[in-house]
Amino acid sequence: MSKVIKGGTIVAADRTYEADILIEGETIAAIGPNLVGDEVIDATDAFIMPGGIDPHTHLQMPFMGTTAAETFESGTMAAISGGTTTVVDFVIPDGPDGSLIAALDAWEGRAKPQVVADYSFHMCIVGWNERIFEEMQAVVGRGVNTFKHFMAYKGALMVNDDEMFASFSRCAALGALPLVHAENGDVVAALQQKFLADGVTGPEGHAFSRPPEVEGEATNRAIMIADAAGVPVYIVHVSCEQSHEAIRRARQKGMRVYGEPLVQHLTLDEGEYFNADWDYAARRVMSPPFRNKAHQDSLWAGLSSGSLQVVATDHCAFTTAQKRMGLGDFTRIPNGTGGLEDRMPVLWTRGVTTGRITPNEFVAATSTNIAQILNIYPQKGAILPGSDADLVVWDPKKTKTISAAGQRSIIDYNVFEGVEVTGLPRYTISRGEIVWKDGQNEAVPGRGKFVARRPFPAVNKALSTWKALTAPRLVTRDPKLMPVGV
Ligand code: DUC
Ligand code: ZN
Ligand code: ZN
Ligand code: ZN
């Protein structure tokens, strides 16, 4: 049974045009005028865009003494209801000596029976030893070409500079891309103790202890370490001008550095942490914290100018009961907020309808750039013959008021509560199947497929200062000892 989408305007990252789309099975078969198929999907007065890709989620993640309550089923259900057809979740090994492969198996075991969207994984490096060095190759062999490093969460997930440099160098050799959570974990830990000692125990202490300076310092350090290792780097949840500035500077020098703001940091204000209602403020505790309007403006400017490429959610959702683990001590409030369902409608409403970004830039930031950076383009992120038929028929006139009462997420609140959005999916289509239709879920848990991502052939050629400065000094050495790519 073929399907044809008729009457809509295709919005791709590079252009906007009118055409029908013919879907045969799971892929796009043809794009053009007057196409004929067995079933017609009406896109009159709508845009047709590539399905969203959220490159940053933490579903059912064990973290800070509890486990994120959003499951792979509820989280991916939330995703498709908001136009997102692929999520990339972070696999966390069991401690600094934990096996990467065992963790990957555990995540796969949890995800596979539940997912309604397609999914992929990033691997976290939370320690360093011979086995981790070896297992990284096997992880790449299993279709995971990205390794995340936490510079914060001292005593838990944090890696030190020597470990990060070793892992980045290994990524360069494997053709993998390192990702970084950039906050200076030592300074954060010191500031947490200072504010607790001063009697600041509420959620505002979370924001005070993680100022933009700790993020800017760590972003710059990660970029310099990546350059020393000769590998590109991707900075997750860029929340402030200090971090954005480090990324702009590196890009201007020719380094392949990518920056990912979250929809929360683009739209929600640090004032939220001063709400008199403890629950209200604690529900918004995430790292990095929300910032002021000047930082938000910097992030929007990055999206329109291209110095920031991607918009994600870092969806890591805890219930109010879980947040209350931190009553009396803000350092124990589980860090994380949700956004999977709302990322595209909120970004469209606050970005496109206001003229801050164009519809094409919206597609780039929510899908195409992500697929390219993660090396799954044009299987994902594209409307081209042969691409997976992951599509969203987007009704730019459809409105709703965001509310926990009507959401797919199983959390008992929503950080965007009361926000009015204009622009919502009419249909979400995943590999040719209509999974979301006019407000109704049509998907069966377990239908989602794992998306394998190959290593990057060009990854270790993405050098700037490194190639110029280091290579001449190494040319007389034994070629076997030379870094890959020289
Ligand atoms: N930040 C969060 O807020 N939650 C999960 C992990 C992270 O880095
Ligand atoms: Zn993080
Ligand atoms: Zn985070
Ligand atoms: Zn995260």
Side-chain angles (χ1 to χ4, degrees):
M1 261 262 299
S2 62
K3 298 185 178 81
V4 65
I5 309 178
K6 282 196 144 338
T9 301
I10 297 174
V11 182
D14 61 341
R15 65 191 172 128
T16 303
Y17 60 108
E18 277 164 32
D20 299 343
I21 299 175
L22 178 67
I23 300 168
E24 305 260 18
E26 300 195 341
T27 56
I28 295 172
I31 302 163
N34 307 317
L35 298 177
V36 180
D38 301 319
E39 182 186 342
V40 174
I41 299 172
D42 177 28
T44 309
D45 298 327
F47 296 123
I48 308 157
M49 305 189 287
I53 303 169
D54 190 332
H56 191 156
T57 69
H58 302 279
L59 302 172
Q60 289 177 252
M61 177 178 70
F63 188 52
M64 293 184 73
T66 184
T67 299
E70 201 78 81
T71 65
F72 279 95
E73 182 176 334
S74 62
T76 53
M77 207 72 93
I80 60 169
S81 74
T84 292
T85 50
T86 304
V87 302
V88 191
D89 201 79
F90 287 88
V91 176
I92 309 218
D94 193 11
D97 296 322
S99 160
L100 309 187
I101 297 300
L104 189 54
D105 289 341
W107 251 257
E108 178 68 18
R110 281 200 285 275
K112 198 175 167 51
Q114 296 194 64
V115 281
V116 298
D118 284 357
Y119 65 104
S120 192
F121 294 125
H122 307 288
M123 177 58 67
C124 295
I125 297 296
V126 298
W128 192 250
N129 59 40
E130 195 65 31
R131 182 171 71 172
I132 292 169
F133 176 91
E134 291 298 336
E135 284 188 336
M136 283 174 79
Q137 185 156 21
V139 168
V140 171
R142 286 187 46 179
V144 175
N145 65 9
T146 36
F147 293 88
K148 154 100 168 271
H149 307 74
F150 291 90
M151 297 171 81
Y153 301 113
K154 189 175 180 178
L157 302 173
M158 181 170 127
V159 284
N160 294 320
D161 292 352
D162 55 345
E163 297 167 319
M164 209 164 65
F165 180 66
S167 176
F168 281 15
S169 301
R170 182 66 168 151
C171 285
L174 293 172
L177 175 68
L179 276 50
V180 175
H181 170 130
E183 288 182 302
N184 184 316
D186 289 317
V187 176
V188 168
L191 286 173
Q192 286 177 328
Q193 293 318 309
K194 172 190 148 39
F195 284 107
L196 284 176
D198 288 350
V200 181
T201 60
E204 70 279 16
H206 177 76
F208 291 152
S209 61
R210 310 182 96 97
E213 287 73 17
V214 302
E215 192 181 332
E217 186 282 324
T219 302
N220 192 59
R221 178 155 41 103
I223 290 170
M224 291 300 139
I225 291 173
D227 200 34
V231 73
V233 66
Y234 177 112
I235 311 295
V236 304
H237 50 49
V238 175
S239 77
C240 63
E241 162 58 15
Q242 282 84 339
S243 175
H244 180 197
E245 193 266 336
I247 294 168
R248 287 199 306 273
R249 184 159 19 92
R251 289 175 67 84
Q252 203 270 331
K253 288 184 76 177
M255 298 168 65
R256 287 196 173 91
V257 178
Y258 306 107
E260 169 208 85
L262 308 180
V263 67
Q264 295 94 315
H265 289 126
L266 285 159
T267 59
L268 300 173
D269 209 83
E270 65 182 357
E272 306 263 8
Y273 299 115
F274 298 94
N275 194 293
D277 177 355
W278 189 94
D279 284 343
Y280 181 97
R283 288 163 176 164
R284 284 148 180 87
V285 164
M286 66 170 305
S287 295
F290 304 158
R291 309 291 191 192
N292 67 27
K293 290 277 183 290
H295 292 295
Q296 292 166 23
D297 286 344
S298 166
L299 302 181
W300 283 111
L303 286 179
S304 56
S305 68
S307 53
L308 301 172
Q309 298 76 35
V310 165
V311 176
T313 62
D314 198 2
H315 189 103
C316 184
F318 298 97
T319 63
T320 304
Q322 290 177 303
K323 290 283 185 178
R324 286 183 183 158
M325 292 167 63
L327 270 169
D329 180 353
F330 67 83
T331 68
R332 295 180 190 278
I333 302 170
N335 284 200
T337 62
L340 260 173
E341 186 158 355
D342 308 310
R343 177 182 67 136
M344 293 176 71
V346 171
L347 189 70
W348 184 274
T349 304
R350 295 289 172 86
V352 178
T353 69
T354 59
R356 283 196 192 248
I357 57 173
T358 68
N360 309 92
E361 287 162 356
F362 174 89
V363 167
T366 56
S367 186
T368 304
N369 287 350
I370 302 167
Q372 290 174 338
I373 293 167
L374 299 185
N375 207 26
I376 46 173
Y377 185 89
Q379 179 194 349
K380 303 292 190 191
I383 301 183
L384 292 170
S387 295
D388 284 357
D390 289 355
L391 301 160
V392 55
V393 178
W394 190 261
D395 185 339
K397 294 219 171 68
K398 201 169 167 156
T399 63
K400 79 167 183 188
T401 304
I402 294 175
S403 170
Q407 71 187 3
R408 253 52 49 184
S409 164
I410 55 176
I411 305 306
D412 58 320
Y413 61 91
N414 186 315
V415 297
F416 297 107
E417 184 77 31
V419 171
E420 291 181 24
V421 289
T422 302
L424 286 159
R426 185 183 296 170
Y427 299 100
T428 305
I429 300 164
S430 165
R431 278 180 288 100
E433 188 186 343
I434 298 174
V435 289
W436 179 259
K437 183 177 175 179
D438 272 329
Q440 290 303 316
N441 162 49
E442 309 262 316
V444 178
R447 68 161 297 282
K449 276 193 189 165
F450 177 70
V451 184
R453 298 181 292 110
R454 297 175 312 281
F456 305 79
V459 82
N460 52 34
K461 299 192 184 75
L463 311 173
S464 62
T465 49
W466 186 84
K467 188 153 201 166
L469 298 177
T470 315
R473 276 184 263 142
L474 290 179
V475 286
T476 57
R477 300 224 186 129
D478 178 347
K480 284 201 298 296
L481 300 177
M482 305 248 280
V484 179
V486 175

